[in-house]
Amino acid sequence: LQKMVTPFILRRRKKDVLHDLPDKIEDVYYGQLEDEQKDLYKARVQRLKLMLQKQSDEEFKENKIAVLAELTRLRQLCCDPHLIYDHYKGNSAKKELCLDIVENAIEEGHKILLFSQFTSMLDTLTQEFDKKGIRYHKLVGSTPQFERARMVESFQTDDVPIFCISLKAGGTGLNLTAADIVIHYDPWWNTAVENQASDRAHRIGQDKQVIAYRFITQNSIEEKILQLQEDKRRLAETFITD
């Protein structure tokens, strides 16, 4: 396969052509499911297992969308059970971790890009920022084009410390080199999408080292997604060479 694709694919890494670009450091932070959040997650897993056990192969093929929807709910439970259960009263380990890192980074003078696949999670986080008096910009799919351009231009020069962006709305086409910390609140199935999002900060014009944090909930579907990302990366590197 490598011999077949080599004439059609030319790969150049940023570090090979942008010699003055500072490093990008990637770090994974692990959180634990605890108390009520852990119980809700286990119950949802058990529900999905029972649903699958009752299905024949043909039924499974017909109901793949329903299975994917359940996997999405498991991901939402890892983020914050409030995304599914309106009356949830407990905490979210990942949300608390995120707030701690954001507050510490702001105190040290950093500017932050915060990505999530779920706009409802961004809504939850910005509510917490409002309570703490933390100013922010927020960009989602429904943000008008003129407002999007205004926020991007403003973030590059203002003193607003955090830019909340939905992964699909802001993964490409933005120049946000004012930020030097990137947070991926929840993992996406393909790491290339996350890397494109990180590159909103790690690109031409960046003069600071960029740190990209990935938040992963231990013993959950998120660890499986992380493994899937790594498998895809290894597969790509076996047949795409420099």
Side-chain angles (χ1 to χ4, degrees), residues 216-233:
I216 299 295
T217 303
Q218 280 188 317
N219 302 315
S220 76
I221 187 174
E222 291 188 339
E223 282 196 323
K224 304 292 186 182
I225 293 174
L226 198 64
Q227 182 60 52
L228 183 63
Q229 289 180 350
E230 181 61 22
D231 291 345
K232 287 183 177 182
R233 185 190 63 78

Side-chain angles (χ1 to χ4, degrees), residues 53-96:
Q53 288 171 0
K54 293 177 181 178
Q55 292 182 354
S56 65
D57 289 345
E58 287 301 316
E59 289 173 328
F60 175 74
K61 291 177 183 178
E62 293 175 0
N63 294 322
K64 283 183 178 178
I65 297 299
V67 174
L68 183 60
E70 280 299 309
L71 293 178
T72 299
R73 292 187 183 98
L74 290 179
R75 293 175 59 221
Q76 289 175 314
L77 278 173
C78 291
C79 292
D80 189 340
H82 282 108
L83 302 187
I84 301 177
Y85 303 107
D86 292 336
H87 302 296
Y88 176 73
K89 301 298 183 183
N91 293 325
S92 161
K94 189 187 285 193
K95 184 175 73 175
E96 297 302 319

Side-chain angles (χ1 to χ4, degrees), residues 98 102 106 110-116 122 125-126 129 134-140 143-167 169-171 173-185 197 200-201:
C98 181
V102 164
I106 291 174
H110 297 285
K111 297 194 79 167
I112 307 159
L113 303 183
L114 173 56
F115 289 96
S116 175
L122 294 179
L125 289 169
T126 52
F129 297 155
I134 298 173
R135 294 186 300 151
Y136 58 85
H137 298 298
K138 183 168 70 173
L139 190 159
V140 297
T143 303
Q145 185 65 33
F146 72 90
E147 179 66 11
R148 173 189 177 113
R150 185 198 65 77
M151 284 192 294
V152 169
E153 183 177 353
S154 177
F155 184 75
Q156 288 293 89
T157 56
D158 64 24
D159 58 354
V160 174
I162 187 164
F163 204 142
C164 302
I165 307 174
S166 64
L167 189 63
L174 302 179
N175 185 359
L176 296 167
T177 52
D180 59 343
I181 289 181
V182 179
I183 295 174
H184 295 283
Y185 190 88
R200 300 314 94 216

Side-chain angles (χ1 to χ4, degrees), residues 188-197 199 214 229:
W188 184 236
W189 303 99
N190 190 343
T191 189
V193 176
E194 293 181 7
N195 289 337
Q196 285 182 332
D199 286 348
R214 285 184 168 90
Q229 289 180 350

